[in-house]
Every structure is written in C-alpha cells, then in structure tokens.
Amino acid sequence: MYFMFCLVVIIFVVDSITVKHQFKDHHPFTIDNNTLKSNGKSLDKFMLIPSIGYESNNESDMFTVIVNGWYYEPLNPSLLQNIIQLSLHTALDLFDSSTALSKQEREERLGPFFVRDIKQHKIQIKLSNSISQIVTTDDNGRFHEKIIIKISDELSIKGNVLKYIASDNDYHEQGNEGFIYLMNKKSKIGCSIISDIDDTIKISEVPDKKKLAINTFKKDFKAVPGMSDVYQSWQSSHKCLIHYVSAMPSQLYYITQKFLTKEKFPGGSFHMRHLKLVGPDKYDLIKKILDFAKQDASQKHKLRAIQDILDHAPITQQFTMVGDSGELDPEIYGEIARKYPDRIKMIFIRHVEGGKNDDNRFQVAFNDIPNDKWKVFNKANELPHKLYNDNDIDDAPINPNNDLDNEINTISLSTSLFYNIYSVLFISYFTMTYN
C-alpha cells in the first residue's frame, strides 16, 4: 500500500518539476553552448530507432519503409534528479555493495528519463535529394510512419541498409541519420533472425527482480558468452537480417545499442515497447503504468511485433527465433511457429537459471512443432554456426558494393520522467520486502 500511495502522489505532483541531464559534452543529453538555439533555448534532439523496410511481393523494387523515432528537448536544472538518483542507488547498494559504474555512467543510465517530449511537431524525413516526406510527432513525441519508395541510385543504400535524414521542419538546424534494414525478395531463401535481448544475448537475470535492477542500473552490461560470435557467423554466412524484439521500454534503447556495438553484435532493427508516461488523465496514466508491468503485456507485445514482421516480409523470407526460458519466449515462439509453420527455420531457447526449465513446459510450448525444429541450449557453442547449406539461400544484398553495419548510430532517445520514478519505487518496494 505504501508503494502504491507513493506512486499516486508522485504522478499527481511531478508534472510541474523540471530536471536536466548532468553528462559530459559528448553525451547526447547534454545542454551546452553547442546545443542551444539562437534564442538561448536548448536544441531539440532526436532518437531514431533502426527500423525495417519490406519489398512488395507483387512489384519489384517497391518497398514500404518504416521511420521510427522520438523528438525531445533537454530540460532545465532541478534538485529532483539528484534526489531520484540518490534514492535509486541507495536502494541498489542495499542489494549489492560493489561499485562497477562511474558516476557519469550511472547518470547515463538515468539520462533518457529526463527530457521533454515534443508533441504534434512536423519532422522532415529526407530519403534522397528528391524524396522526402513530412511526418508529425504524436502526444508522446514519437513518430512511426510508413513510406512507399522505389529503389533507385539516388538512395543511400549500403548492403541492405537504407540511410535517411530526419530534421526539424521549422528550424533545419541539425539533421540526424537514421537507418532502415531492407528485406528484399529472394530467388531462393532469405534469412532473418528474431532475437530477444535480456538473458538471450545480454545477462540480465530477469527471474530475480533484484538482480535485474542491479544489472540494469548498477553494473556494466555483460554479453552472454559466445552469442556475438554466433550472430556474426549467421550474418556473414547467410547475410541474415537481425530483428531485436524486446519487451523492455524504449527508454533503454540508447544504452542497449551501445552495448550491442561494444560487444560486436550485428546491427539490426529494434522492436520495443512504448510506455505511456505523461498525460492529462493521471488515473489513466497510473493504470497504463501498471498494465505495462504485467507479464501478459510483454507477451502480447512480442506476439504483435513478430507477427507484424512475418505478415509484411517477402514470402521467401525464413526466420530463426532465439530467446530464453526466463519468461515466456518458448510459449511466444511456439505460437508463432504453429501459425507460420513454413516460415520458421528454427527456434533456440537459452536455459536461464531461475526460469521454468522442466521438459513438460517445453513440450507444451512446442506442441505440434517437430522436435528437430527447436532446441534448448545452455552455452552458445551448442548452436550451429551455419543455418543453411550454401546452395539453399540467396544472400545477395540490394547494394553488394557497400556495408553499413559499422556505421549504425547510437543516437539518443526521448521519453519522460515517470518510468524512472516507477523504477525507484519498484526497487524501494523490493528493498522493504528484502529487509
């Protein structure tokens, strides 16, 4: 009850409080002389999430591409951020007294939560000198727009990655690069990998909520040993596209992308949940925050995201799905495989300590799916380094002379304050329980 009371009070009063990021000059949330408009206000910024584009099954070289991003503004100073940071890290220290992150790194984990979303604002999406479109942010500062294009030499395509520029339609002060992974029709089979993140490729220990909080906000992100090598092998052998489908909030995109780059995981599209954190109806807001935390909400998000990818993908594209036993990946992937039996190449589930790992669970989850189409593994070296025979797959990229994977950006994200506060209260709740 105390936890719920604190959450309600903060939701009602915090709208009037402004905060700022306290990062070094190179950090995307910094307010400095280089990020000020001519009127002295902070320069609005983008987070552009790598997205996906699909070639039409009926018309060659015609693609439906998706631009996905946030538009936000750093806010003015306040004492609130320091209070929240202190509360969060004090709670975490009760669980784990080790210090793995510097002060700057700890602030970087919280930085994405301290921005103001810019709603109902026009953004120019420029795909080439002659191809552009205006999109409008929604009430959360987000835009998620489909654009139909025809492949031509004037587009900036390297390998299977299309680069575009997003800019404020009013100011045009600064453009930001975004990336779209193009899924083209194949003469044979095309390869895609649908991958979870937490406990599949990044050690998060999701079944233990205290350890999850520590691994998210206190410690360096650590890769599951060997998984980067496996993904690189699949991509280099078959030119597989990677689709990172995760139930984590988009607030964590920035640091997750940094982790993937550092650990040399292939670039790919991101499909994450949006958490509604601000709005005029505070009672509705509280309900949405609690709904976000429900386990079935995570399951529904992943099902929708994966089904959307398969429904729009060229019919020659096949999918290998990689997840873990910590939550509901077996049940989700099993449902997808039953619905799209000819599109799923293989399912791999990583055994996670603390998850439900009995054989009966997997037999039920993968009911009616051939036993040779799914595998539970403990270590990455149990996975094959090739998924197809060389003659079975068409790995020709759209533009074979270039590769853009190393250029994929880690531009910052936009959100708001509430998920951070919710996290503090969540951790405080477990602290009281622990004591």
Side-chain angles (χ1 to χ4, degrees), residues 405-417:
D405 190 56
N406 290 331
E407 295 183 30
I408 300 304
N409 65 341
T410 57
I411 298 299
S412 58
L413 66 143
S414 166
T415 177
S416 118
L417 177 62

Side-chain angles (χ1 to χ4, degrees), residues 57 145 177-178 192 279 333 337 375-376 403 427:
N57 282 310
E145 196 80 14
E177 289 185 344
S192 276
Y333 292 172
K375 176 183 176 69
V376 179
D403 184 5
I427 293 169

Side-chain angles (χ1 to χ4, degrees), residues 230-370:
V230 172
Y231 280 34
Q232 287 184 52
S233 177
W234 290 347
Q235 188 187 57
S236 62
S237 297
H238 313 306
K239 293 294 184 281
C240 297
L241 295 178
I242 315 294
H243 315 292
Y244 295 105
V245 179
S246 172
M248 71 171 64
S250 295
Q251 287 91 334
L252 298 178
Y253 163 72
Y254 174 73
I255 55 174
T256 301
Q257 178 67 82
K258 286 185 65 177
F259 157 76
L260 295 178
T261 301
K262 176 184 176 183
E263 297 295 337
K264 295 181 171 52
F265 281 94
S269 60
F270 276 75
H271 310 263
M272 306 169 80
R273 280 200 290 173
H274 174 66
L275 175 59
K276 176 67 176 177
L277 298 171
V278 294
D281 188 338
K282 296 298 182 289
Y283 297 103
D284 183 60
L285 174 60
I286 294 169
K287 179 180 181 299
K288 288 180 177 178
I289 291 175
L290 296 177
D291 287 344
F292 183 91
K294 293 180 180 177
Q295 190 175 46
D296 67 337
S298 168
Q299 183 179 20
K300 290 176 182 177
H301 161 75
K302 286 189 174 183
L303 281 170
R304 282 194 302 266
I306 297 171
Q307 288 177 167
D308 187 66
I309 294 172
L310 269 72
D311 286 343
H312 291 89
I315 58 176
T316 53
Q317 197 78 5
Q318 284 195 350
F319 296 83
T320 292
M321 299 187 290
V322 190
D324 62 83
S325 66
E327 291 193 300
L328 295 174
D329 287 345
E331 288 74 18
I332 294 167
Y333 292 172
E335 183 171 340
I336 293 293
R338 283 186 290 272
K339 185 173 181 179
Y340 305 88
D342 297 330
R343 307 292 298 280
I344 304 304
K345 170 65 175 176
M346 192 69 190
I347 298 171
F348 297 111
I349 299 295
R350 178 175 175 260
H351 179 285
V352 173
E353 291 298 327
K356 187 178 178 182
N357 296 306
D358 59 279
D359 290 340
N360 182 63
R361 178 201 180 175
F362 299 123
Q363 292 297 331
V364 172
F366 299 124
N367 183 41
D368 293 331
I369 299 170

